[in-house]
Amino acid sequence: MTDLWVKQCGNSHTGSFKDLGMTVLVSQVNHIIKKQGGIKAVGCASTGDTSAALAAYCAAAGIPSIVFLPADKISLAQLVQPIANGSIVVSLDTDFDGCMKLIQEVVEEYPIYLANSMNSLRLEGQKTVSIEIAQQFDWEVPDWIVVPGGNLGNVYAFYKGFKMMKDLGLTKRMPRLVVAQAHNANPLYAAYKNGWDFQPMVAERTLASAIQIGDPVSVHVRQQARNVPPFPRCSHQAWLFVSSAEGNSRSESL
């Protein structure tokens, strides 16, 4: 290995890459409200960063927001932001996956717009990271890109961005995308090992709380899409399994 680079996405307004997707989503929601109305609030389940981004951009647009958070599982810095920006904050005695199921039920019954990464508007904003990476390397694509895997929306957003640039002729090839999952929350890795038979798991504590997700909604979105396999199959992917406790890792390519 001759070069190892870290893409800093935490120097935005609320401190995470979630701002990239949320500014696109909230801008579109604001347009919908002004044009046709109907939406009374925007909501999400979160492990912290998504709720901070949603609250900030909704406050800027004057749109009410509601966030479902797992009790005692997010940092104080993450909790302060939605409260300070006027969100309705609901603390639930469950994990992120439980919060996700509840917010999905709520948006089915009430005029609340769902802002989690199963919403394609989020991915359109987040794919700009891949464009920034290519631009910063003078349109030469890195050989490998490692992306932490939680709800699995970000890695697909990266794929969309790099695929778009290749199709437009801005770049000549695709990078190898690596999904990194912690031992205590590795449903995608487990599915790969089990012949792509995806089974949700109960995620245990991870050192990075944002990836403590055992039932990523992005998988179900793909499974529900007509004629689309639950996992993209191409020659540009690998999966990385990481032990949170000991730091040991191994990777397997497709």
Side-chain angles (χ1 to χ4, degrees):
M1 181 185 297
T2 57
D3 289 290
L4 176 64
W5 297 78
V6 176
K7 175 60 175 171
Q8 172 60 275
C9 297
N11 54 354
S12 55
H13 296 293
T14 70
S16 86
F17 71 89
K18 300 296 178 68
D19 288 346
L20 298 171
M22 206 59 75
T23 184
V24 173
L25 183 142
V26 174
S27 294
Q28 288 300 310
V29 171
N30 195 28
H31 175 73
I32 293 170
I33 292 173
K34 290 179 178 179
K35 187 174 182 179
Q36 63 189 49
I39 298 173
K40 301 301 182 183
V42 184
C44 74
S46 179
T47 54
D49 291 336
T50 300
S51 64
L54 175 66
Y57 285 95
C58 279
I63 301 171
S65 60
I66 179 171
V67 299
F68 286 15
L69 304 175
D72 302 321
K73 291 183 174 69
I74 69 170
S75 70
L76 181 60
Q78 292 169 320
L79 178 61
V80 164
Q81 293 191 67
I83 294 175
N85 281 307
S87 282
I88 298 174
V89 178
V90 182
S91 179
L92 301 171
D93 189 17
T94 183
D95 57 9
F96 170 82
D97 296 314
C99 292
M100 189 69 241
K101 288 181 174 64
L102 286 172
I103 191 68
Q104 287 177 288
E105 293 175 6
V106 168
V107 299
E108 287 290 327
E109 296 292 330
Y110 299 96
I112 299 173
Y113 191 86
L114 184 61
N116 281 95
S117 58
M118 61 193 301
N119 190 312
S120 60
L121 290 173
R122 285 273 307 279
L123 304 185
E124 291 303 306
Q126 288 168 208
K127 78 181 184 184
T128 59
V129 176
S130 57
I131 300 171
E132 288 183 8
I133 291 173
Q135 184 181 31
Q136 289 166 341
F137 283 102
D138 293 326
W139 306 105
E140 290 291 333
V141 174
D143 294 327
W144 296 82
I145 295 178
V146 182
V147 186
N151 236 355
L152 302 179
N154 216 25
V155 66
Y156 184 51
F158 280 30
Y159 170 80
K160 289 188 67 177
F162 283 111
K163 182 68 164 57
M164 179 189 72
M165 287 185 289
K166 184 174 181 294
D167 290 344
L168 291 173
L170 295 173
T171 57
K172 297 179 180 180
R173 61 185 179 88
M174 293 285 291
R176 298 294 297 273
L177 294 175
V178 181
V179 179
Q181 291 197 302
H183 174 270
N184 289 345
N186 64 346
L188 183 62
Y189 180 82
Y192 162 65
K193 295 292 289 184
N194 198 30
W196 296 116
D197 179 20
F198 178 81
Q199 298 295 329
M201 64 179 292
V202 177
E204 300 179 13
R205 183 181 177 275
T206 58
L207 295 181
S209 61
I211 60 173
Q212 187 178 332
I213 298 173
D215 191 12
V217 294
S218 296
V219 171
H220 301 295
V221 171
R222 291 192 62 83
Q223 288 175 328
Q224 293 167 5
R226 182 175 297 179
N227 298 324
V228 177
F231 305 100
R233 305 298 293 272
C234 68
S235 60
H236 307 293
Q237 298 170 319
W239 315 100
L240 178 66
F241 164 87
V242 180
S243 169
S244 295
E246 301 176 2
N248 299 324
S249 67
R250 63 180 181 271
S251 63
E252 301 185 43
S253 299
L254 298 180

